[in-house]
Amino acid sequence: MDRISKIVAIGFVTIALTGGSLFLYYGLHSVRAEPQYSTVLPSAMDLPQFNLTQHNGTRFTRDELRGSWNLVFFGFTHCPDICPATLTQLAIAKSQLAAEGYETPNIVLVSVDPERDTPDKMAEYLSHFGSDISGLTGSTEEILKLAKALGIFFAKSANPNGDYSVDHSAAILLIDPNAKWHALFQAPHKIEHFVRDIPILTGAR
Amino acid sequence: MIGNRSIYILLTILLLSCESETRSSLEVSNIRVFSPMPGSSAGVAYMTIINNGENSVTLNGVRSPQFEYVEIHENVLNDGIVRMRHLDTVIIYGGDSAIFEAGGKHVMLIGAQPDTAVGSDITLELYYDDGEVSVTTTMLNRLSSE
């Protein structure tokens, strides 16, 4: 083999190796998309048993979380700003994902203000967002069982007008079909974050 | 005496001209009023107030004829926890702006008048330390407006 042929051969081998490496790198990365806006727990965590009431008056326990993915959000109906904004974002993300053909998680709002949030009140409130959002309320003790297990804090805060607000964790928790805590979205929330990550988290993409 | 009077008149004119200059330097934009959610008594208003003047302006309160009372609140997100706090005043420095938006500062509208609904005109009266500005917009449904 003369010198020119050697150089040409080395050139071809170099191009082939570089191309092959790039193909493998991008190929593998596009196949295994990673969630960008959410955190997956190192291992899914069991939830304790709890006994709450759904907005339609039926009993809602840990078993009701089995069989499908659930996005759980803690809030209250007297919250005028962040709670309706978050529920609206979730409802829009869900409809966008459904339009793309994905099976979507159920949305579950757990009240941190059971004193004012009766099942009827929650039913009226949730009617605005569509029929497939569940609202849970019950005794503070039962709500705390679920909240504590999911690392959610809430506490009443008095307003100067004699009314009160409730400070609460704004994270949204993703529960897997085995009723185990799988991942979480931290605030501030954005529709595109849910649309991008939910299919990856549920293994649909 | 005449000299003093002239000075007073001159000062008054100067003060009045400063006042009108400061007020006209305020620009309220991107106003959105969302109706109270079903079962809830509180609606919310978002907007941007731009202070194009050099002096700072203080927003001391908001009123609306369509609501019993109006409060300025701020949601503060700290360590993943949202805390809603009352604001008595909002200072908007010269050349700066105050943004009222979901998850941040917002105007909470409490106790809607019986005929107030989605599509109603809502007037917000913004009370500054140097005067009042009224803005009117149509009340929207949050879900269909996002």
Side-chain angles (χ1 to χ4, degrees):
Chain A
M1 200 184 272
D2 60 19
R3 206 173 156 212
I4 294 170
S5 302
K6 266 186 187 169
I7 292 168
V8 170
I10 289 166
F12 271 121
V13 170
T14 311
I15 290 166
L17 283 173
T18 312
S21 308
L22 284 171
F23 177 78
L24 271 174
Y25 178 83
Y26 286 108
L28 284 173
H29 277 74
S30 63
V31 169
R32 286 201 55 192
E34 296 291 334
Q36 270 183 14
Y37 307 108
S38 49
T39 308
V40 179
L41 270 64
S43 59
M45 276 176 66
D46 282 321
L47 296 182
Q49 189 55 265
F50 59 86
N51 189 358
L52 294 170
T53 305
Q54 210 174 171
H55 64 280
N56 59 11
T58 57
R59 189 165 169 252
F60 196 105
T61 67
R62 184 182 58 192
D63 294 338
E64 270 66 46
L65 291 171
R66 293 186 198 280
S68 53
W69 289 88
N70 286 277
L71 280 169
V72 177
F73 173 63
F74 289 74
F76 60 114
T77 68
H78 277 68
C79 156
D81 177 53
I82 204 156
C83 303
T86 305
L87 281 175
T88 302
Q89 288 174 328
L90 284 172
I92 292 170
K94 194 174 151 101
S95 66
Q96 283 184 13
L97 285 168
E100 287 176 32
Y102 289 111
E103 206 171 306
T104 56
N106 302 320
I107 302 170
V108 180
L109 169 68
V110 183
S111 175
V112 289
D113 184 15
E115 207 174 296
R116 293 185 291 200
D117 287 341
T118 60
D120 285 349
K121 198 82 170 167
M122 295 198 85
E124 197 182 351
Y125 182 80
L126 292 173
S127 64
H128 183 74
F129 298 100
S131 56
D132 51 357
I133 299 182
S134 294
L136 307 185
T137 188
S139 68
T140 304
E141 191 188 352
E142 291 297 319
I143 292 169
L144 271 172
K145 283 184 191 171
L146 184 58
K148 275 185 181 170
L150 294 168
I152 298 292
F153 160 90
F154 64 92
K156 266 190 190 181
S157 163
N159 290 345
N161 61 18
D163 205 353
Y164 68 89
S165 176
V166 186
D167 300 340
H168 62 94
S169 304
I172 294 173
L173 306 314
L174 182 68
I175 313 296
D176 74 14
N178 296 316
K180 289 186 177 189
W181 178 18
H182 179 76
L184 79 154
F185 288 87
Q186 286 284 15
H189 302 299
K190 282 192 164 52
I191 296 167
E192 53 267 33
H193 294 180
F194 301 129
V195 172
R196 191 198 174 274
D197 276 10
I198 287 171
I200 298 167
L201 294 168
T202 59
R205 185 185 284 161
Chain B
M1 278 298 279
I2 294 166
N4 279 347
R5 229 166 128 186
S6 302
I7 288 165
Y8 286 136
I9 290 166
L10 190 65
L11 275 174
T12 310
I13 291 167
L14 272 173
L15 279 170
L16 284 172
S17 62
C18 280
E19 194 175 287
S20 69
E21 190 275 324
T22 311
R23 257 190 268 175
S24 64
S25 67
L26 289 173
E27 191 184 321
V28 186
S29 63
N30 199 20
I31 311 160
R32 289 147 296 145
V33 171
F34 292 124
S35 63
M37 304 300 292
S40 168
S41 61
V44 70
Y46 302 126
M47 71 191 92
T48 301
I49 304 172
I50 304 161
N51 180 0
N52 291 314
E54 286 180 6
N55 301 324
S56 63
V57 174
T58 304
L59 177 67
N60 291 316
V62 181
R63 281 188 212 154
S64 170
Q66 289 79 32
F67 288 87
E68 276 175 40
Y69 59 103
V70 180
E71 292 174 357
I72 305 171
H73 290 172
E74 182 171 37
N75 273 326
V76 180
L77 181 68
N78 203 353
D79 291 332
I81 296 162
V82 187
R83 291 183 167 87
M84 193 174 83
R85 293 291 173 259
H86 278 250
L87 296 178
D88 291 327
T89 57
V90 175
I91 299 169
I92 311 154
Y93 295 102
D96 207 350
S97 56
I99 300 170
F100 292 75
E101 59 185 351
K105 288 189 194 70
H106 57 277
V107 176
M108 188 164 160
L109 309 163
I110 304 145
Q113 299 297 335
D115 54 348
T116 305
V118 170
S120 297
D121 278 348
I122 306 296
T123 300
L124 299 173
E125 299 160 359
L126 310 174
Y127 293 90
Y128 300 101
D129 47 357
D130 67 339
E132 178 199 332
V133 172
S134 277
V135 288
T136 300
T137 189
T138 307
M139 188 152 78
L140 305 170
N141 172 330
R142 188 192 282 267
L143 192 58
S144 56
S145 310
E146 291 273 327

